[in-house]
Amino acid sequence: MTIIEQAELERQQRYIGQIGQCMEAYRSETGFSRRYWIHTYGCQLNENDGEKLAGLLGEMGYLEAAGLREADLIILNTCSVREHADDRLFGNLGRLKNLRQEKPDLVIAVCGCMMKQPEHVARISRSFSFVDLVFGPQDIYRLPELLYHRLSDEKKQYLVGDEDTLVEGLPIHRARRFRALCSIMYGCNNFCTYCIVPYTRGRERSRQPGDILRELRELALSGYREVMLLGQNVNSYGQDFEETGGDIRDFSDLLEAAARENFYRIRFMTSHPKDISEKLLKVMAANPVIEPHLHLPLQSGSNRVLGQMNRQYTREQYLATVTRARQLIPNLAFSTDIIVGFPGETEEDFADTLDIMRQVRFASAFTFLYSKRTGTPAAEMPNPVDPAVMHERFDRLTALQDAHSLAYNRQSLGQTVEILVEGVSAKQDQVFSGRTGQNQLVNFTVADPALLPAEARSPDGRIDGSRLEGGLARVRVTDAKTFSLFGVLEAYRP
Ligand code: SF4
């Protein structure tokens, strides 16, 4: 692992200063600012990387564009985990070609996990030669240097480093006003046979506890109500520390320290079932500020398939963890990830998955059809499952999960739940939304506007939902659907 030293950050800072001067000159001359547009694919770790890119660009004097067509710099921050990631990236790049022809000064960059796969970089170089910058997820801190050279009319800049880097102190422009993302570690050592992450994000490396707690303190002081601690496998936080003399030696210690900061809620993602400890569950049980929700990817209920996936736990161990967690935290909600159609999956294996779902009754699940990731061991495995069989199993699986999700949500009918308000419902006017500690989406209306602070009410009786964001609402649940609850506001606390 390479810790990026202060001297290197200062070197980048000089590029920031030089680009900033150019931006200022352009603004004086034209009256306009240069603008950027970042499109991030994939998980919250990638989203957090996108916030760092935005932070760096903000320091250089760029403003965020309202849309793609308004941008002078477009960054596609890619993900290689999700299905058909390549199709989406190359489809989008194809569309950008026309935009580049209309705006020859437009700078186009591609970064993120996919750039760690040489075949994708080669394809960009071959077929999308208008792409100016290419860099990997561990090279974000070098964006100022790359951009400076490109803007100085030098050739396009392709840089995908091999080192597993750890960088502190990058500026950040957070996308949300009340929920902050905080990456506590990077990379993964688990090598699940279907997953590309260990090859694109490198080996596990944990940030120092002091750096994380300083970031959390700043977030709490600047008004963030909720923080999500992120890592590919947060439960192995600290396992790479050489010295273990401090108070914070593992994820449980870190979570306990985070719970002492002034947040309404703390979430974390993602946990590996093999690493959930009794200590972690006890810390969750003892600290109500840590949400009673555990995302615990199952992937398969068959011991044979779990072995083929190199998941390093059995169905029995998974079930024992669920049972123990429910003993310690009775209101705990479980969500999961499940892959259907892993190579060689038989009907019997699939029945084991349905069986464990019936035993656990997940509140929600992300379900995926297996798709090959070039470069992973599973991509070379024999006996692919027939696509028609895979789809048929997938339909049965989602039908079962939908029934469980609906039954779970119906338990809240007639009850009052506490939610952190996220804003206005995308679909209906004067309907607001938020999430419970169990991560249920709740839409609600306000029958009595007097329950809200004056600044959220307009004279015509309408409610400004943006004024409610980040507040805690108590909502009586009147309807329950598979993916959401609906209710009426009973109380609100900013
Ligand atoms: S734990 Fe497995 S699935 Fe998760 S990131 Fe690591 S290798 Fe991929």
Side-chain angles (χ1 to χ4, degrees):
M1 175 183 74
T2 305
I3 295 173
I4 303 304
E5 303 288 349
Q6 191 56 30
E8 171 60 19
L9 294 179
E10 283 167 9
R11 197 173 74 84
Q12 296 300 325
Q13 196 62 43
R14 286 195 285 280
Y15 289 113
I16 290 177
Q18 284 169 306
I19 296 176
Q21 284 173 10
C22 299
M23 294 292 140
E24 190 49 49
Y26 177 79
R27 204 164 23 247
S28 309
E29 199 180 308
T30 65
F32 294 102
S33 295
R34 295 276 192 199
R35 291 179 182 268
Y36 69 85
W37 177 258
I38 300 172
H39 185 80
T40 293
Y41 305 79
C43 67
Q44 279 117 342
L45 276 158
N46 236 23
E47 199 181 316
N48 196 216
D49 282 352
E51 293 180 328
K52 289 171 191 160
L53 291 166
L56 283 165
L57 292 168
E59 292 231 323
M60 294 177 220
Y62 278 88
L63 300 180
E64 190 173 2
L68 192 78
R69 301 193 69 83
E70 202 189 279
D72 304 288
L73 165 64
I74 293 173
I75 300 182
L76 302 182
N77 183 19
T78 64
C79 161
S80 48
V81 172
R82 296 292 156 97
E83 208 175 349
H84 306 309
D86 342 358
D87 296 349
R88 278 205 300 270
L89 171 66
F90 293 115
N92 285 339
L93 276 179
R95 283 186 279 281
L96 286 183
K97 189 173 182 179
N98 294 337
L99 196 56
R100 172 61 170 269
Q101 278 164 356
E102 288 168 32
K103 289 173 77 171
D105 287 345
L106 176 66
V107 176
I108 296 176
V110 186
C111 63
C113 295
M114 276 179 73
M115 297 305 98
K116 288 287 283 185
Q117 296 169 276
E119 65 273 22
H120 297 318
V121 177
R123 186 169 168 193
I124 289 176
S125 177
R126 201 172 53 240
S127 308
F128 302 92
S129 57
F130 57 88
V131 172
D132 301 281
L133 309 180
V134 167
F135 52 99
Q138 315 205 24
D139 312 311
I140 285 174
Y141 71 97
R142 290 185 69 180
L143 173 64
E145 176 183 3
L146 299 178
L147 189 56
Y148 174 80
H149 287 308
R150 182 65 192 93
L151 294 175
S152 307
D153 280 339
E154 291 181 30
K155 287 187 197 143
K156 52 191 179 185
Q157 305 286 312
Y158 283 21
L159 172 105
V160 183
D162 288 333
E163 290 172 341
D164 291 346
T165 57
L166 194 59
V167 191
E168 286 296 339
L170 289 183
I172 188 160
H173 175 73
R174 296 189 187 272
R176 301 168 213 234
R177 280 191 294 159
F178 63 92
R179 175 188 294 156
L181 304 175
C182 175
S183 298
I184 62 167
M185 60 184 296
Y186 305 93
C188 182
N189 291 354
N190 286 314
F191 290 93
C192 301
T193 55
Y194 53 83
C195 181
I196 196 76
V197 165
Y199 308 94
T200 58
R201 292 260 170 187
R203 298 292 78 71
E204 286 174 1
R205 49 222 189 267
S206 307
R207 293 176 62 198
Q208 287 297 312
D211 292 326
I212 297 171
L213 293 175
R214 199 170 308 116
E215 182 176 342
L216 295 183
R217 175 76 43 88
E218 285 167 11
L219 287 169
L221 285 174
S222 54
Y224 281 90
R225 303 294 169 79
E226 181 180 300
V227 69
M228 184 179 259
L229 306 179
L230 297 172
Q232 301 294 349
N233 178 15
V234 288
N235 307 107
S236 48
Y237 174 80
Q239 285 180 11
D240 55 325
F241 288 158
E242 282 171 12
E243 290 174 22
T244 53
D247 291 344
I248 295 180
R249 292 175 299 274
D250 58 23
F251 181 59
S252 313
D253 295 334
L254 181 70
L255 197 55
E256 195 166 38
R260 289 195 286 272
E261 298 298 335
N262 194 18
F263 293 109
Y264 283 175
R265 279 195 192 149
I266 297 175
R267 298 174 182 253
F268 56 91
M269 183 87 89
T270 293
S271 295
H272 195 298
K274 75 176 168 50
D275 294 320
I276 297 285
S277 65
E278 176 89 1
K279 183 178 168 192
L280 173 74
L281 296 174
K282 285 184 170 161
V283 166
M284 290 176 71
N287 291 280
V289 71
I290 302 168
E291 68 167 12
H293 168 224
L294 195 52
H295 185 74
L296 202 58
L298 168 67
Q299 308 302 10
S300 171
S302 154
N303 282 339
R304 199 188 63 76
V305 174
L306 287 171
Q308 293 281 303
M309 289 176 163
N310 189 33
R311 289 291 288 171
Q312 303 171 63
Y313 54 85
T314 62
R315 58 184 276 122
E316 291 76 17
Q317 287 165 332
Y318 187 97
L319 285 167
T321 299
V322 170
T323 303
R324 182 61 182 145
R326 283 187 167 144
Q327 282 168 355
L328 290 168
I329 313 162
N331 64 342
L332 186 64
F334 282 95
S335 59
T336 197
D337 299 334
I338 298 175
I339 296 172
V340 178
F342 188 77
E345 181 192 74
T346 63
E347 186 56 32
E348 204 180 1
D349 294 322
F350 181 65
D352 281 346
T353 299
L354 297 182
D355 176 68
I356 204 167
M357 288 172 70
R358 288 191 188 96
Q359 292 192 55
V360 178
R361 295 182 74 89
F362 296 103
S364 63
F366 295 99
T367 50
F368 305 90
L369 290 164
Y370 170 76
S371 75
K372 244 187 212 185
R373 292 290 173 277
T374 307
T376 61
E380 309 299 324
M381 286 183 182
N383 304 322
V385 177
D386 181 278
V389 172
M390 213 194 273
H391 280 93
E392 188 273 333
R393 286 181 191 160
F394 186 80
D395 289 346
R396 277 192 279 156
L397 183 112
T398 49
L400 181 64
Q401 181 53 47
D402 286 355
H404 289 167
S405 297
L406 181 60
Y408 182 80
N409 281 343
R410 279 193 174 144
Q411 292 172 23
S412 301
L413 273 174
Q415 297 192 1
T416 297
V417 295
E418 186 176 78
I419 65 169
L420 191 73
V421 182
E422 295 183 356
V424 185
S425 156
K427 294 185 187 149
Q428 287 168 281
D429 187 36
Q430 294 293 285
V431 176
F432 312 98
S433 65
R435 286 188 185 268
T436 64
Q438 284 87 354
N439 206 29
Q440 294 157 292
L441 175 64
V442 182
N443 295 309
F444 65 97
T445 53
V446 180
D448 180 4
L451 295 169
L452 299 175
E455 64 269 19
R457 293 178 266 146
S458 65
D460 64 0
R462 291 181 63 78
I463 293 156
D464 179 356
S466 68
R467 300 282 184 158
L468 306 182
E469 284 178 15
L472 282 179
R474 291 180 66 76
V475 172
R476 188 167 46 78
V477 178
T478 56
D479 195 10
K481 297 189 164 57
T482 307
F483 301 112
S484 62
L485 302 172
F486 192 86
V488 181
L489 184 76
E490 284 191 336
Y492 176 82
R493 175 155 72 95

